């Protein structure tokens, strides 16, 4: 141990445990830090479901939060017991939850038949992944599938976000007005169009900052995880050298849990916000995210069903429009 740090030495390796030998700190949890850090998943899942029920978000996101909970609970049990079945619960639920978010994105505004076809496809896809992964038991396969799925749904969501909110892409700028007038007799006024474009550009800027934050946190977790794998023996030596609790800070896998858990939570919040934007409810649901040190939440500020004082594309309130004109 470093002499100037007050610390407790690690016990000898291969200590007996409740589930198996090779425990180092407690009798009931083999990898105590990796076990405890999964508590973040459980807390954020509870917070997410509570927010969905309070603000009326779509049911599919409550199901996604439940899958998110199972990821954390499965990982908690796996690191406590080091038993293979719990590893499957942990890793396969990462795939299942990502598929739920893919379904929420791809099924939007489609016919009932198309939604059912997508649901059947994802059920068969998840069953096939489960069977094949259980057969080969190769973590590289799981990591590859998860990375491809996550990349696909992130880029798909970005595409929808851009084409829904950016005025130049949805052709709602003033230079597009004459072209749109030839196609439709029902255009919003110039003032309303200006308000909507200004509002949506502001939302888009906030969402891009949120995406950058979430991706940075998530990819930082991946980077730490990769370093932890590469330098595992070195880090283990360092931990035993500095003792507890300082050695806990060198638990790279624990940091991976915290960072990727927060990043995945941000992605679900982003998905909820995007769904309301696709519904044209920008005026009724807003992202509350005062600082990066506060967890974001999508909050209902008014009832989407009451559109008496609204105009096209998501309900522009008269009071908001007047305030923007005066600013």
């Amino acid at each position: 141990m470093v002499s100037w740090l007050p610390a407790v030495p690690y016990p000898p390796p291969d200590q007996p445990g409740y589930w198996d030998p090779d425990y180092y700190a407690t009798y009931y949890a083999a990898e105590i830090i990796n076990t405890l850090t999964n508590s973040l998943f459980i807390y954020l899942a509870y917070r997410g479901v509570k927010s969905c029920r309070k603000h009326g978000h779509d049911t599919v996101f409550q199901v996604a939060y439940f899958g998110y909970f199972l990821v954390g609970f499965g990982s908690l049990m796996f690191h406590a017991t080091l038993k293979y079945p719990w590893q499957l619960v942990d890793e396969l639920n990462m795939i299942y939850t990502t598929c739920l978010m893919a379904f929420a994105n791809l099924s939007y505004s489609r016919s009932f038949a198309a939604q059912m076809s997508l649901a059947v496809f994802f059920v068969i896809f998840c069953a096939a992944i489960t069977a094949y992964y259980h057969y080969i038991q190769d973590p590289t396969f799981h990591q590859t599938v998860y990375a491809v799925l996550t990349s696909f749904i992130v880029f798909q969501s970005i595409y929808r976000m851009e084409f829904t909110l950016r005025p130049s892409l949805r052709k709602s700028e003033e230079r597009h007005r004459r072209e749109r007038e030839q196609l439709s007799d029902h255009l919003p006024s110039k003032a309303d169009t200006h308000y909507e474009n200004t509002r949506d550009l502001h939302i888009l800027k906030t969402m891009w900052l949120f995406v950058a934050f979430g991706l940075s946190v998530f990819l930082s977790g991946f980077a730490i995880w990769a370093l932890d794998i590469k330098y595992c023996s070195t880090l283990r030596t360092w931990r035993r050298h500095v003792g507890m609790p300082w050695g806990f800070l060198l638990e790279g896998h624990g940091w991976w849990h915290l960072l990727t858990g927060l990043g995945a939570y941000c992605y679900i919040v982003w998905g909820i916000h995007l769904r309301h934007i696709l519904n044209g409810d920008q005026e009724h649901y807003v992202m509350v995210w005062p600082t990066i040190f506060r967890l974001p939440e999508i909050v209902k500020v008014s009832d989407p069903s009451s559109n008496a004082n609204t105009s096209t594309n998501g309900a522009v309130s008269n009071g908001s429009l007047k305030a923007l004109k005066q600013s």
Side-chain angles (χ1 to χ4, degrees), residues 41-61:
F41 283 83
I42 297 172
Y43 167 70
L44 292 181
Y46 162 77
R47 179 187 174 96
V49 170
K50 182 180 178 182
S51 178
C52 285
R53 293 181 175 179
K54 179 180 180 181
H55 298 291
H57 306 319
D58 287 356
T59 303
V60 68
F61 296 109

Side-chain angles (χ1 to χ4, degrees), residues 9 23 35 68-69 77 118 142-143 146-147 152 170 191 229 264 271-272 297 310 325:
Y23 290 23
T35 300
Y68 176 88
F69 161 80
M77 292 301 297
L118 276 171
H142 162 264
Q143 294 157 13
Y146 179 68
F152 168 75
R170 72 183 184 208
I229 292 176
I272 293 172
E297 185 178 15
T310 64
K325 288 178 180 177

Side-chain angles (χ1 to χ4, degrees), residues 73-306:
F73 182 74
S75 182
L76 182 151
M77 292 301 297
F78 169 64
H79 288 292
T81 66
L82 299 181
K83 298 296 184 181
Y84 176 68
W86 287 113
Q87 182 181 3
L88 287 180
V89 174
D90 168 21
E91 296 181 341
L92 288 174
N93 269 292
M94 294 169 65
I95 303 293
Y96 303 158
T97 304
T98 306
C99 285
L100 276 170
M101 295 301 295
F103 174 79
N105 187 291
L106 297 175
S107 64
Y108 177 78
S109 75
R110 297 183 183 273
S111 66
F112 177 77
Q115 291 181 356
M116 290 303 298
S117 297
L118 276 171
V120 170
F121 167 78
F122 279 118
V123 168
I124 295 174
F125 176 79
C126 289
I129 293 296
T130 301
Y132 188 67
Y133 184 44
H134 181 63
Y135 172 71
I136 64 172
Q137 299 187 15
D138 182 2
T140 303
F141 170 74
H142 162 264
Q143 294 157 13
T144 302
V145 172
Y146 179 68
V148 170
L149 270 175
T150 301
S151 299
F152 168 75
I153 193 59
V154 166
F155 284 113
Q156 173 70 10
S157 298
I158 288 174
Y159 174 85
R160 284 206 156 187
M161 179 181 74
E162 279 286 320
F163 275 82
T164 303
L165 289 175
R166 193 170 295 281
S168 61
L169 294 179
R170 72 183 184 208
K171 294 186 176 181
S172 65
E173 295 179 322
E174 188 59 32
R175 59 192 176 95
H176 300 119
R177 190 170 187 85
R178 181 172 299 179
E179 176 185 343
R180 295 177 65 194
E181 284 175 345
Q182 296 174 355
L183 301 174
S184 174
D185 295 328
H186 304 286
L187 289 178
S189 68
K190 290 185 178 181
D192 284 3
T193 300
H194 173 71
Y195 171 78
E196 292 172 3
N197 289 345
T198 303
R199 175 200 63 192
D200 290 350
L201 282 173
H202 175 73
I203 294 173
L204 190 63
K205 179 181 178 181
T206 302
M207 290 188 78
W208 267 115
L209 288 172
F210 187 54
V211 169
F213 170 76
L215 282 177
S216 298
V217 170
F218 195 83
L219 293 176
S220 296
F222 262 101
I224 292 175
W225 172 69
L227 290 172
D228 185 67
I229 292 176
K230 184 175 182 179
Y231 300 106
C232 181
S233 59
T234 301
L235 290 171
R236 187 180 293 114
T237 301
W238 288 357
R239 288 197 294 267
R240 290 195 168 274
H241 181 67
V242 300
M244 298 183 289
W246 315 108
F248 296 158
L249 298 175
L250 298 175
E251 296 270 4
H253 200 86
W255 286 108
W256 141 268
H257 288 161
L258 295 175
L259 294 173
T260 56
L262 179 58
Y265 173 81
C266 287
Y267 175 69
I268 300 177
V269 172
W270 178 42
I272 293 172
H273 197 194
L274 182 58
R275 171 59 65 90
H276 289 303
I277 288 169
L278 293 174
N279 287 334
D281 289 334
Q282 294 97 310
E283 292 287 334
H284 306 292
Y285 291 89
V286 299
M287 179 185 293
V288 175
W289 188 40
T291 71
I292 63 172
F293 303 106
R294 291 272 303 275
L295 289 171
E297 185 178 15
I298 308 304
V299 174
K300 182 168 72 173
V301 295
S302 59
D303 186 2
S305 63
S306 58

